[in-house]
Amino acid sequence: MANPIARINQTAEHYKTLDARDKKRFWIDGTLNNALYILMAIFIIYTAIVNPNFLKMGSIATIVMQVASYLPIALGIGGCIVLTGTDLSAGRVVGLTAAVSAMLLQRMDLPKRILSAMPELPGWAAIILAILATMVVGGIIGCVNGFFVAKFDLHPFIVTLATQLMTYSIILLLFMLNGNNGQPINGLRDDYNSFVKGTMLNIGNAALPWYVLYAVILVAVMWFIWNKTTFGKNMFAVGSNKEAASVSGVNVFKTIVMVHTLAGVMYGLNGFIEAARLSSVTQNTGLNYECDAIAACVIGGVSFVGGTGKISGIVMGVFILRIIFVALNMLSIDQNLQFLIKGAIILFACALDMRKYLAKK
């Protein structure tokens, strides 16, 4: 990778060779390509001036925790976008796997547990079982998505819309088991809560939970998979040009299925974290999570034209999105308007992404 200082110097030397008209175009293109980050910087400065608490340790810790809780789903859906697709089922898969975790890790002393016939397991055994169960459930749904996309060349939008609806139906049925009648699943084990949201680090008056560390580990693992494995190289090759990748010897079918399966596994891990983080899982847990994840990926430079994206960009996109939402709350913006702002961000980010793509062509 090129040294950042060397790249800056190279850009400066290139700028000196341009005439007045090209220099003007250079600044216009640079401003437009980075418009989202420029507006973000202005927004942060404005929020900090209006509400000084925005830059205090408590707010920063809140942003970090929200980033950690949304990162797994964004990391999973990012691979689907690299393949020029998306995944509308992601949020519901998070909700399903959160319900599975909560069901497996309810306290044994509850008067009415959903899985009342399940014997009590030691703390670590129960937690490992829940992690594996969520990974398997999420992976299966992801595999189904990938199979139909790859085998029948269906658009991921249609496939994942279908699995989103089917997954929600499964969620509704699970919440009716053993006379639960759709009630929230709560009463989680103390060791589960401690494992996920117990205090890992105290910074002043703020405390960071363990799931922040787990999110960092997932980022490292996904970075390695994307950048240092044959699978990662094949994923970008298929996303760039499916036909060319096939001619080059890449197993396109296998790659698409594996990308979606890996995404499902990430959703499952997100569900495992989310159940403990929320302490109570409802039928609507995970609703619209995929919207935030897609927005974060696009903001972070994962292009819908395919074959482009970085893990660091996804992390940055999630950070930007969470900073915006925390800032909106601190500015006392109407909650109902936040959906409008979220939609505008997605639209603006996609428009900038397409502009960059057309400029390259």
Side-chain angles (χ1 to χ4, degrees), residues 200-250:
M200 175 188 69
L201 181 66
N202 285 307
I203 305 176
N205 295 326
L208 293 181
W210 282 105
Y211 67 80
V212 172
L213 175 62
Y214 307 148
V216 172
I217 293 172
L218 288 178
V219 168
V221 170
M222 291 298 287
W223 180 90
F224 180 83
I225 291 173
W226 277 34
N227 296 283
K228 299 298 181 180
T229 66
T230 302
F231 163 71
K233 294 176 183 177
N234 290 345
M235 177 183 72
F236 283 103
V238 172
S240 297
N241 191 314
K242 190 186 299 184
E243 289 73 20
S246 180
V247 172
S248 301
V250 175

mmCIF file of all heavy atoms in Angstrom, residues 200-250:
data_model
loop_
_atom_site.group_PDB
_atom_site.id
_atom_site.type_symbol
_atom_site.label_atom_id
_atom_site.label_comp_id
_atom_site.label_asym_id
_atom_site.label_seq_id
_atom_site.Cartn_x
_atom_site.Cartn_y
_atom_site.Cartn_z
ATOM 1 N N MET A 200 -16.006 -4.063 30.456
ATOM 2 C CA MET A 200 -14.674 -4.458 30.020
ATOM 3 C C MET A 200 -13.642 -3.416 30.429
ATOM 4 O O MET A 200 -12.535 -3.743 30.853
ATOM 5 C CB MET A 200 -14.656 -4.625 28.485
ATOM 6 C CG MET A 200 -13.287 -4.913 27.905
ATOM 7 S SD MET A 200 -13.259 -4.868 26.102
ATOM 8 C CE MET A 200 -13.502 -3.126 25.768
ATOM 9 N N LEU A 201 -14.030 -2.142 30.294
ATOM 10 C CA LEU A 201 -13.073 -1.063 30.525
ATOM 11 C C LEU A 201 -13.805 0.187 31.005
ATOM 12 O O LEU A 201 -14.842 0.556 30.452
ATOM 13 C CB LEU A 201 -12.318 -0.757 29.224
ATOM 14 C CG LEU A 201 -11.253 0.329 29.260
ATOM 15 C CD1 LEU A 201 -10.090 -0.102 30.141
ATOM 16 C CD2 LEU A 201 -10.768 0.633 27.838
ATOM 17 N N ASN A 202 -13.273 0.802 32.035
ATOM 18 C CA ASN A 202 -13.817 2.071 32.527
ATOM 19 C C ASN A 202 -12.952 3.215 32.029
ATOM 20 O O ASN A 202 -11.725 3.197 32.196
ATOM 21 C CB ASN A 202 -13.855 2.084 34.048
ATOM 22 C CG ASN A 202 -14.972 1.221 34.596
ATOM 23 O OD1 ASN A 202 -16.134 1.376 34.211
ATOM 24 N ND2 ASN A 202 -14.641 0.301 35.493
ATOM 25 N N ILE A 203 -13.599 4.202 31.395
ATOM 26 C CA ILE A 203 -12.898 5.397 30.931
ATOM 27 C C ILE A 203 -13.594 6.593 31.552
ATOM 28 O O ILE A 203 -14.637 7.042 31.076
ATOM 29 C CB ILE A 203 -12.919 5.507 29.394
ATOM 30 C CG1 ILE A 203 -12.366 4.238 28.753
ATOM 31 C CG2 ILE A 203 -12.133 6.720 28.929
ATOM 32 C CD1 ILE A 203 -12.433 4.236 27.247
ATOM 33 N N GLY A 204 -13.017 7.091 32.641
ATOM 34 C CA GLY A 204 -13.685 8.167 33.349
ATOM 35 C C GLY A 204 -14.995 7.671 33.929
ATOM 36 O O GLY A 204 -15.037 6.669 34.651
ATOM 37 N N ASN A 205 -16.078 8.365 33.596
ATOM 38 C CA ASN A 205 -17.401 7.955 34.061
ATOM 39 C C ASN A 205 -18.085 6.988 33.102
ATOM 40 O O ASN A 205 -19.201 6.555 33.362
ATOM 41 C CB ASN A 205 -18.296 9.188 34.261
ATOM 42 C CG ASN A 205 -17.794 10.089 35.366
ATOM 43 O OD1 ASN A 205 -17.236 9.612 36.351
ATOM 44 N ND2 ASN A 205 -17.969 11.404 35.199
ATOM 45 N N ALA A 206 -17.432 6.690 31.999
ATOM 46 C CA ALA A 206 -18.028 5.815 30.983
ATOM 47 C C ALA A 206 -17.455 4.407 31.097
ATOM 48 O O ALA A 206 -16.285 4.216 31.442
ATOM 49 C CB ALA A 206 -17.756 6.376 29.590
ATOM 50 N N ALA A 207 -18.296 3.420 30.805
ATOM 51 C CA ALA A 207 -17.886 2.016 30.844
ATOM 52 C C ALA A 207 -18.136 1.382 29.489
ATOM 53 O O ALA A 207 -19.227 1.522 28.919
ATOM 54 C CB ALA A 207 -18.651 1.270 31.929
ATOM 55 N N LEU A 208 -17.144 0.695 28.958
ATOM 56 C CA LEU A 208 -17.295 -0.021 27.693
ATOM 57 C C LEU A 208 -17.547 -1.496 27.971
ATOM 58 O O LEU A 208 -16.797 -2.120 28.738
ATOM 59 C CB LEU A 208 -16.038 0.146 26.834
ATOM 60 C CG LEU A 208 -15.744 1.553 26.308
ATOM 61 C CD1 LEU A 208 -14.475 1.548 25.457
ATOM 62 C CD2 LEU A 208 -16.912 2.093 25.498
ATOM 63 N N PRO A 209 -18.577 -2.080 27.353
ATOM 64 C CA PRO A 209 -18.890 -3.494 27.589
ATOM 65 C C PRO A 209 -18.025 -4.425 26.740
ATOM 66 O O PRO A 209 -17.335 -3.993 25.815
ATOM 67 C CB PRO A 209 -20.361 -3.577 27.166
ATOM 68 C CG PRO A 209 -20.502 -2.526 26.113
ATOM 69 C CD PRO A 209 -19.579 -1.410 26.521
ATOM 70 N N TRP A 210 -18.108 -5.710 27.038
ATOM 71 C CA TRP A 210 -17.300 -6.707 26.343
ATOM 72 C C TRP A 210 -17.632 -6.813 24.861
ATOM 73 O O TRP A 210 -16.776 -7.161 24.054
ATOM 74 C CB TRP A 210 -17.472 -8.078 27.006
ATOM 75 C CG TRP A 210 -16.677 -8.219 28.265
ATOM 76 C CD1 TRP A 210 -17.144 -8.188 29.553
ATOM 77 C CD2 TRP A 210 -15.259 -8.381 28.367
ATOM 78 N NE1 TRP A 210 -16.122 -8.322 30.448
ATOM 79 C CE2 TRP A 210 -14.944 -8.450 29.748
ATOM 80 C CE3 TRP A 210 -14.231 -8.479 27.443
ATOM 81 C CZ2 TRP A 210 -13.642 -8.619 30.221
ATOM 82 C CZ3 TRP A 210 -12.933 -8.647 27.906
ATOM 83 C CH2 TRP A 210 -12.642 -8.707 29.269
ATOM 84 N N TYR A 211 -18.880 -6.523 24.477
ATOM 85 C CA TYR A 211 -19.217 -6.712 23.062
ATOM 86 C C TYR A 211 -18.492 -5.730 22.153
ATOM 87 O O TYR A 211 -18.431 -5.942 20.940
ATOM 88 C CB TYR A 211 -20.737 -6.676 22.829
ATOM 89 C CG TYR A 211 -21.446 -5.371 23.057
ATOM 90 C CD1 TYR A 211 -21.424 -4.359 22.100
ATOM 91 C CD2 TYR A 211 -22.200 -5.161 24.207
ATOM 92 C CE1 TYR A 211 -22.101 -3.171 22.290
ATOM 93 C CE2 TYR A 211 -22.893 -3.973 24.408
ATOM 94 C CZ TYR A 211 -22.843 -2.985 23.456
ATOM 95 O OH TYR A 211 -23.528 -1.810 23.633
ATOM 96 N N VAL A 212 -17.924 -4.674 22.715
ATOM 97 C CA VAL A 212 -17.066 -3.781 21.917
ATOM 98 C C VAL A 212 -15.829 -4.551 21.454
ATOM 99 O O VAL A 212 -15.414 -4.451 20.293
ATOM 100 C CB VAL A 212 -16.672 -2.536 22.728
ATOM 101 C CG1 VAL A 212 -15.633 -1.710 21.969
ATOM 102 C CG2 VAL A 212 -17.897 -1.686 23.044
ATOM 103 N N LEU A 213 -15.239 -5.335 22.369
ATOM 104 C CA LEU A 213 -14.080 -6.153 22.010
ATOM 105 C C LEU A 213 -14.453 -7.199 20.972
ATOM 106 O O LEU A 213 -13.701 -7.444 20.022
ATOM 107 C CB LEU A 213 -13.515 -6.833 23.256
ATOM 108 C CG LEU A 213 -12.366 -7.813 23.019
ATOM 109 C CD1 LEU A 213 -11.154 -7.106 22.411
ATOM 110 C CD2 LEU A 213 -11.978 -8.519 24.320
ATOM 111 N N TYR A 214 -15.619 -7.816 21.125
ATOM 112 C CA TYR A 214 -16.047 -8.837 20.166
ATOM 113 C C TYR A 214 -16.217 -8.231 18.771
ATOM 114 O O TYR A 214 -15.890 -8.867 17.762
ATOM 115 C CB TYR A 214 -17.359 -9.488 20.616
ATOM 116 C CG TYR A 214 -17.338 -10.035 22.024
ATOM 117 C CD1 TYR A 214 -18.481 -10.055 22.816
ATOM 118 C CD2 TYR A 214 -16.144 -10.502 22.576
ATOM 119 C CE1 TYR A 214 -18.457 -10.550 24.110
ATOM 120 C CE2 TYR A 214 -16.107 -10.999 23.881
ATOM 121 C CZ TYR A 214 -17.266 -11.012 24.636
ATOM 122 O OH TYR A 214 -17.224 -11.492 25.916
ATOM 123 N N ALA A 215 -16.726 -7.004 18.724
ATOM 124 C CA ALA A 215 -16.883 -6.324 17.438
ATOM 125 C C ALA A 215 -15.526 -6.071 16.793
ATOM 126 O O ALA A 215 -15.363 -6.233 15.578
ATOM 127 C CB ALA A 215 -17.655 -5.019 17.615
ATOM 128 N N VAL A 216 -14.545 -5.679 17.592
ATOM 129 C CA VAL A 216 -13.190 -5.449 17.078
ATOM 130 C C VAL A 216 -12.606 -6.747 16.516
ATOM 131 O O VAL A 216 -11.983 -6.759 15.448
ATOM 132 C CB VAL A 216 -12.277 -4.892 18.187
ATOM 133 C CG1 VAL A 216 -10.824 -4.832 17.715
ATOM 134 C CG2 VAL A 216 -12.744 -3.498 18.614
ATOM 135 N N ILE A 217 -12.843 -7.846 17.220
ATOM 136 C CA ILE A 217 -12.355 -9.150 16.745
ATOM 137 C C ILE A 217 -13.008 -9.519 15.417
ATOM 138 O O ILE A 217 -12.346 -10.001 14.490
ATOM 139 C CB ILE A 217 -12.624 -10.241 17.801
ATOM 140 C CG1 ILE A 217 -11.782 -9.986 19.051
ATOM 141 C CG2 ILE A 217 -12.327 -11.630 17.235
ATOM 142 C CD1 ILE A 217 -12.113 -10.896 20.222
ATOM 143 N N LEU A 218 -14.318 -9.288 15.307
ATOM 144 C CA LEU A 218 -15.026 -9.584 14.055
ATOM 145 C C LEU A 218 -14.494 -8.743 12.908
ATOM 146 O O LEU A 218 -14.368 -9.229 11.781
ATOM 147 C CB LEU A 218 -16.529 -9.347 14.237
ATOM 148 C CG LEU A 218 -17.289 -10.363 15.091
ATOM 149 C CD1 LEU A 218 -18.749 -9.961 15.214
ATOM 150 C CD2 LEU A 218 -17.181 -11.761 14.499
ATOM 151 N N VAL A 219 -14.177 -7.481 13.178
ATOM 152 C CA VAL A 219 -13.605 -6.611 12.146
ATOM 153 C C VAL A 219 -12.275 -7.186 11.667
ATOM 154 O O VAL A 219 -12.006 -7.245 10.457
ATOM 155 C CB VAL A 219 -13.414 -5.177 12.689
ATOM 156 C CG1 VAL A 219 -12.555 -4.354 11.730
ATOM 157 C CG2 VAL A 219 -14.756 -4.495 12.877
ATOM 158 N N ALA A 220 -11.430 -7.619 12.602
ATOM 159 C CA ALA A 220 -10.125 -8.181 12.242
ATOM 160 C C ALA A 220 -10.278 -9.455 11.415
ATOM 161 O O ALA A 220 -9.571 -9.657 10.417
ATOM 162 C CB ALA A 220 -9.315 -8.461 13.507
ATOM 163 N N VAL A 221 -11.215 -10.306 11.819
ATOM 164 C CA VAL A 221 -11.446 -11.560 11.088
ATOM 165 C C VAL A 221 -11.943 -11.283 9.672
ATOM 166 O O VAL A 221 -11.459 -11.876 8.697
ATOM 167 C CB VAL A 221 -12.457 -12.449 11.853
ATOM 168 C CG1 VAL A 221 -12.884 -13.641 10.993
ATOM 169 C CG2 VAL A 221 -11.849 -12.946 13.160
ATOM 170 N N MET A 222 -12.907 -10.363 9.551
ATOM 171 C CA MET A 222 -13.451 -10.054 8.236
ATOM 172 C C MET A 222 -12.415 -9.367 7.353
ATOM 173 O O MET A 222 -12.372 -9.589 6.136
ATOM 174 C CB MET A 222 -14.697 -9.181 8.386
ATOM 175 C CG MET A 222 -15.887 -9.910 8.986
ATOM 176 S SD MET A 222 -16.453 -11.307 7.985
ATOM 177 C CE MET A 222 -17.244 -10.454 6.630
ATOM 178 N N TRP A 223 -11.570 -8.518 7.949
ATOM 179 C CA TRP A 223 -10.503 -7.889 7.175
ATOM 180 C C TRP A 223 -9.583 -8.955 6.607
ATOM 181 O O TRP A 223 -9.188 -8.878 5.432
ATOM 182 C CB TRP A 223 -9.705 -6.928 8.047
ATOM 183 C CG TRP A 223 -8.582 -6.256 7.297
ATOM 184 C CD1 TRP A 223 -8.645 -5.083 6.604
ATOM 185 C CD2 TRP A 223 -7.242 -6.744 7.131
ATOM 186 N NE1 TRP A 223 -7.427 -4.813 6.018
ATOM 187 C CE2 TRP A 223 -6.544 -5.807 6.325
ATOM 188 C CE3 TRP A 223 -6.568 -7.869 7.583
ATOM 189 C CZ2 TRP A 223 -5.215 -5.982 5.969
ATOM 190 C CZ3 TRP A 223 -5.236 -8.048 7.228
ATOM 191 C CH2 TRP A 223 -4.567 -7.103 6.431
ATOM 192 N N PHE A 224 -9.235 -9.938 7.409
ATOM 193 C CA PHE A 224 -8.352 -11.016 6.945
ATOM 194 C C PHE A 224 -9.019 -11.808 5.818
ATOM 195 O O PHE A 224 -8.386 -12.113 4.799
ATOM 196 C CB PHE A 224 -8.015 -11.949 8.111
ATOM 197 C CG PHE A 224 -7.121 -13.091 7.729
ATOM 198 C CD1 PHE A 224 -5.742 -12.912 7.656
ATOM 199 C CD2 PHE A 224 -7.647 -14.339 7.425
ATOM 200 C CE1 PHE A 224 -4.916 -13.969 7.288
ATOM 201 C CE2 PHE A 224 -6.835 -15.391 7.058
ATOM 202 C CZ PHE A 224 -5.458 -15.205 6.984
ATOM 203 N N ILE A 225 -10.293 -12.126 5.988
ATOM 204 C CA ILE A 225 -11.010 -12.903 4.972
ATOM 205 C C ILE A 225 -11.085 -12.133 3.657
ATOM 206 O O ILE A 225 -10.858 -12.691 2.582
ATOM 207 C CB ILE A 225 -12.435 -13.255 5.470
ATOM 208 C CG1 ILE A 225 -12.351 -14.262 6.627
ATOM 209 C CG2 ILE A 225 -13.283 -13.827 4.334
ATOM 210 C CD1 ILE A 225 -13.695 -14.545 7.284
ATOM 211 N N TRP A 226 -11.395 -10.848 3.737
ATOM 212 C CA TRP A 226 -11.542 -10.040 2.521
ATOM 213 C C TRP A 226 -10.218 -9.808 1.805
ATOM 214 O O TRP A 226 -10.181 -9.777 0.584
ATOM 215 C CB TRP A 226 -12.165 -8.684 2.875
ATOM 216 C CG TRP A 226 -13.654 -8.693 2.980
ATOM 217 C CD1 TRP A 226 -14.445 -9.713 3.423
ATOM 218 C CD2 TRP A 226 -14.553 -7.621 2.648
ATOM 219 N NE1 TRP A 226 -15.765 -9.353 3.411
ATOM 220 C CE2 TRP A 226 -15.862 -8.074 2.933
ATOM 221 C CE3 TRP A 226 -14.372 -6.333 2.177
ATOM 222 C CZ2 TRP A 226 -16.982 -7.273 2.736
ATOM 223 C CZ3 TRP A 226 -15.487 -5.529 1.972
ATOM 224 C CH2 TRP A 226 -16.782 -5.997 2.249
ATOM 225 N N ASN A 227 -9.142 -9.654 2.560
ATOM 226 C CA ASN A 227 -7.886 -9.191 1.968
ATOM 227 C C ASN A 227 -6.792 -10.240 1.847
ATOM 228 O O ASN A 227 -5.868 -10.061 1.047
ATOM 229 C CB ASN A 227 -7.334 -8.010 2.789
ATOM 230 C CG ASN A 227 -8.245 -6.809 2.759
ATOM 231 O OD1 ASN A 227 -8.291 -6.077 1.778
ATOM 232 N ND2 ASN A 227 -8.980 -6.599 3.831
ATOM 233 N N LYS A 228 -6.871 -11.311 2.624
ATOM 234 C CA LYS A 228 -5.767 -12.260 2.657
ATOM 235 C C LYS A 228 -6.132 -13.685 2.258
ATOM 236 O O LYS A 228 -5.304 -14.590 2.386
ATOM 237 C CB LYS A 228 -5.168 -12.284 4.076
ATOM 238 C CG LYS A 228 -4.603 -10.940 4.536
ATOM 239 C CD LYS A 228 -3.466 -10.468 3.652
ATOM 240 C CE LYS A 228 -2.904 -9.135 4.134
ATOM 241 N NZ LYS A 228 -1.792 -8.660 3.277
ATOM 242 N N THR A 229 -7.338 -13.899 1.804
ATOM 243 C CA THR A 229 -7.745 -15.251 1.416
ATOM 244 C C THR A 229 -8.155 -15.302 -0.052
ATOM 245 O O THR A 229 -8.530 -14.278 -0.641
ATOM 246 C CB THR A 229 -8.927 -15.745 2.276
ATOM 247 O OG1 THR A 229 -10.088 -14.944 1.983
ATOM 248 C CG2 THR A 229 -8.605 -15.656 3.760
ATOM 249 N N THR A 230 -8.096 -16.492 -0.613
ATOM 250 C CA THR A 230 -8.546 -16.686 -1.997
ATOM 251 C C THR A 230 -10.029 -16.380 -2.127
ATOM 252 O O THR A 230 -10.480 -15.822 -3.134
ATOM 253 C CB THR A 230 -8.271 -18.132 -2.430
ATOM 254 O OG1 THR A 230 -6.869 -18.407 -2.297
ATOM 255 C CG2 THR A 230 -8.695 -18.360 -3.869
ATOM 256 N N PHE A 231 -10.783 -16.741 -1.092
ATOM 257 C CA PHE A 231 -12.211 -16.459 -1.100
ATOM 258 C C PHE A 231 -12.478 -14.968 -1.261
ATOM 259 O O PHE A 231 -13.341 -14.547 -2.028
ATOM 260 C CB PHE A 231 -12.846 -16.971 0.198
ATOM 261 C CG PHE A 231 -14.200 -16.391 0.487
ATOM 262 C CD1 PHE A 231 -15.303 -16.758 -0.275
ATOM 263 C CD2 PHE A 231 -14.375 -15.479 1.514
ATOM 264 C CE1 PHE A 231 -16.559 -16.215 -0.013
ATOM 265 C CE2 PHE A 231 -15.614 -14.933 1.779
ATOM 266 C CZ PHE A 231 -16.710 -15.306 1.015
ATOM 267 N N GLY A 232 -11.719 -14.136 -0.520
ATOM 268 C CA GLY A 232 -11.896 -12.691 -0.618
ATOM 269 C C GLY A 232 -11.581 -12.174 -2.005
ATOM 270 O O GLY A 232 -12.318 -11.350 -2.564
ATOM 271 N N LYS A 233 -10.495 -12.667 -2.582
ATOM 272 C CA LYS A 233 -10.129 -12.250 -3.940
ATOM 273 C C LYS A 233 -11.205 -12.667 -4.942
ATOM 274 O O LYS A 233 -11.548 -11.907 -5.856
ATOM 275 C CB LYS A 233 -8.782 -12.853 -4.314
ATOM 276 C CG LYS A 233 -7.622 -12.330 -3.480
ATOM 277 C CD LYS A 233 -6.318 -13.034 -3.820
ATOM 278 C CE LYS A 233 -5.176 -12.549 -2.924
ATOM 279 N NZ LYS A 233 -3.912 -13.276 -3.206
ATOM 280 N N ASN A 234 -11.726 -13.869 -4.763
ATOM 281 C CA ASN A 234 -12.790 -14.348 -5.665
ATOM 282 C C ASN A 234 -14.051 -13.509 -5.522
ATOM 283 O O ASN A 234 -14.751 -13.244 -6.513
ATOM 284 C CB ASN A 234 -13.103 -15.806 -5.366
ATOM 285 C CG ASN A 234 -11.982 -16.749 -5.775
ATOM 286 O OD1 ASN A 234 -11.084 -16.367 -6.531
ATOM 287 N ND2 ASN A 234 -12.019 -17.969 -5.289
ATOM 288 N N MET A 235 -14.353 -13.092 -4.299
ATOM 289 C CA MET A 235 -15.540 -12.267 -4.065
ATOM 290 C C MET A 235 -15.456 -10.962 -4.853
ATOM 291 O O MET A 235 -16.415 -10.569 -5.532
ATOM 292 C CB MET A 235 -15.680 -11.978 -2.572
ATOM 293 C CG MET A 235 -16.849 -11.065 -2.219
ATOM 294 S SD MET A 235 -16.934 -10.666 -0.455
ATOM 295 C CE MET A 235 -15.528 -9.537 -0.309
ATOM 296 N N PHE A 236 -14.309 -10.306 -4.795
ATOM 297 C CA PHE A 236 -14.142 -9.049 -5.523
ATOM 298 C C PHE A 236 -14.127 -9.288 -7.037
ATOM 299 O O PHE A 236 -14.620 -8.461 -7.807
ATOM 300 C CB PHE A 236 -12.859 -8.350 -5.089
ATOM 301 C CG PHE A 236 -12.976 -7.661 -3.761
ATOM 302 C CD1 PHE A 236 -12.428 -8.215 -2.620
ATOM 303 C CD2 PHE A 236 -13.667 -6.467 -3.647
ATOM 304 C CE1 PHE A 236 -12.546 -7.592 -1.393
ATOM 305 C CE2 PHE A 236 -13.789 -5.822 -2.419
ATOM 306 C CZ PHE A 236 -13.231 -6.390 -1.286
ATOM 307 N N ALA A 237 -13.579 -10.420 -7.447
ATOM 308 C CA ALA A 237 -13.554 -10.742 -8.878
ATOM 309 C C ALA A 237 -14.963 -10.950 -9.418
ATOM 310 O O ALA A 237 -15.324 -10.427 -10.476
ATOM 311 C CB ALA A 237 -12.702 -11.988 -9.121
ATOM 312 N N VAL A 238 -15.776 -11.684 -8.664
ATOM 313 C CA VAL A 238 -17.163 -11.933 -9.089
ATOM 314 C C VAL A 238 -17.955 -10.630 -9.072
ATOM 315 O O VAL A 238 -18.767 -10.363 -9.963
ATOM 316 C CB VAL A 238 -17.833 -12.987 -8.175
ATOM 317 C CG1 VAL A 238 -19.321 -13.110 -8.486
ATOM 318 C CG2 VAL A 238 -17.153 -14.337 -8.335
ATOM 319 N N GLY A 239 -17.717 -9.806 -8.063
ATOM 320 C CA GLY A 239 -18.422 -8.528 -7.984
ATOM 321 C C GLY A 239 -18.057 -7.592 -9.109
ATOM 322 O O GLY A 239 -18.895 -6.828 -9.597
ATOM 323 N N SER A 240 -16.798 -7.643 -9.556
ATOM 324 C CA SER A 240 -16.347 -6.766 -10.640
ATOM 325 C C SER A 240 -16.901 -7.205 -11.983
ATOM 326 O O SER A 240 -17.395 -6.395 -12.765
ATOM 327 C CB SER A 240 -14.824 -6.740 -10.683
ATOM 328 O OG SER A 240 -14.295 -6.191 -9.504
ATOM 329 N N ASN A 241 -16.805 -8.498 -12.259
ATOM 330 C CA ASN A 241 -17.275 -9.027 -13.535
ATOM 331 C C ASN A 241 -17.459 -10.530 -13.410
ATOM 332 O O ASN A 241 -16.492 -11.287 -13.389
ATOM 333 C CB ASN A 241 -16.274 -8.715 -14.649
ATOM 334 C CG ASN A 241 -16.838 -8.995 -16.030
ATOM 335 O OD1 ASN A 241 -17.437 -10.035 -16.262
ATOM 336 N ND2 ASN A 241 -16.624 -8.066 -16.956
ATOM 337 N N LYS A 242 -18.702 -10.951 -13.308
ATOM 338 C CA LYS A 242 -19.004 -12.359 -13.065
ATOM 339 C C LYS A 242 -18.502 -13.255 -14.199
ATOM 340 O O LYS A 242 -17.922 -14.322 -13.974
ATOM 341 C CB LYS A 242 -20.511 -12.532 -12.905
ATOM 342 C CG LYS A 242 -20.940 -13.903 -12.408
ATOM 343 C CD LYS A 242 -22.453 -14.043 -12.403
ATOM 344 C CE LYS A 242 -23.121 -13.041 -11.503
ATOM 345 N NZ LYS A 242 -24.586 -13.247 -11.426
ATOM 346 N N GLU A 243 -18.702 -12.805 -15.433
ATOM 347 C CA GLU A 243 -18.302 -13.621 -16.592
ATOM 348 C C GLU A 243 -16.775 -13.751 -16.660
ATOM 349 O O GLU A 243 -16.245 -14.839 -16.889
ATOM 350 C CB GLU A 243 -18.826 -13.008 -17.892
ATOM 351 C CG GLU A 243 -20.328 -13.122 -18.097
ATOM 352 C CD GLU A 243 -21.120 -12.182 -17.204
ATOM 353 O OE1 GLU A 243 -20.533 -11.179 -16.710
ATOM 354 O OE2 GLU A 243 -22.312 -12.462 -16.958
ATOM 355 N N ALA A 244 -16.078 -12.631 -16.459
ATOM 356 C CA ALA A 244 -14.618 -12.663 -16.493
ATOM 357 C C ALA A 244 -14.062 -13.534 -15.374
ATOM 358 O O ALA A 244 -13.084 -14.271 -15.561
ATOM 359 C CB ALA A 244 -14.058 -11.247 -16.381
ATOM 360 N N ALA A 245 -14.680 -13.482 -14.212
ATOM 361 C CA ALA A 245 -14.232 -14.310 -13.087
ATOM 362 C C ALA A 245 -14.407 -15.785 -13.397
ATOM 363 O O ALA A 245 -13.529 -16.605 -13.100
ATOM 364 C CB ALA A 245 -15.025 -13.941 -11.831
ATOM 365 N N SER A 246 -15.533 -16.118 -14.019
ATOM 366 C CA SER A 246 -15.778 -17.514 -14.387
ATOM 367 C C SER A 246 -14.748 -18.024 -15.390
ATOM 368 O O SER A 246 -14.229 -19.129 -15.266
ATOM 369 C CB SER A 246 -17.192 -17.649 -14.960
ATOM 370 O OG SER A 246 -17.459 -18.983 -15.317
ATOM 371 N N VAL A 247 -14.435 -17.196 -16.388
ATOM 372 C CA VAL A 247 -13.432 -17.563 -17.390
ATOM 373 C C VAL A 247 -12.058 -17.737 -16.745
ATOM 374 O O VAL A 247 -11.256 -18.582 -17.160
ATOM 375 C CB VAL A 247 -13.371 -16.489 -18.507
ATOM 376 C CG1 VAL A 247 -12.204 -16.748 -19.437
ATOM 377 C CG2 VAL A 247 -14.676 -16.470 -19.286
ATOM 378 N N SER A 248 -11.806 -16.971 -15.684
ATOM 379 C CA SER A 248 -10.514 -17.035 -15.004
ATOM 380 C C SER A 248 -10.393 -18.225 -14.057
ATOM 381 O O SER A 248 -9.369 -18.405 -13.406
ATOM 382 C CB SER A 248 -10.277 -15.740 -14.205
ATOM 383 O OG SER A 248 -10.296 -14.620 -15.057
ATOM 384 N N GLY A 249 -11.455 -19.014 -13.970
ATOM 385 C CA GLY A 249 -11.405 -20.214 -13.142
ATOM 386 C C GLY A 249 -12.048 -20.083 -11.779
ATOM 387 O O GLY A 249 -11.968 -21.004 -10.957
ATOM 388 N N VAL A 250 -12.688 -18.946 -11.515
ATOM 389 C CA VAL A 250 -13.353 -18.758 -10.232
ATOM 390 C C VAL A 250 -14.689 -19.499 -10.240
ATOM 391 O O VAL A 250 -15.450 -19.416 -11.213
ATOM 392 C CB VAL A 250 -13.601 -17.259 -9.957
ATOM 393 C CG1 VAL A 250 -14.402 -17.073 -8.672
ATOM 394 C CG2 VAL A 250 -12.280 -16.517 -9.880
#
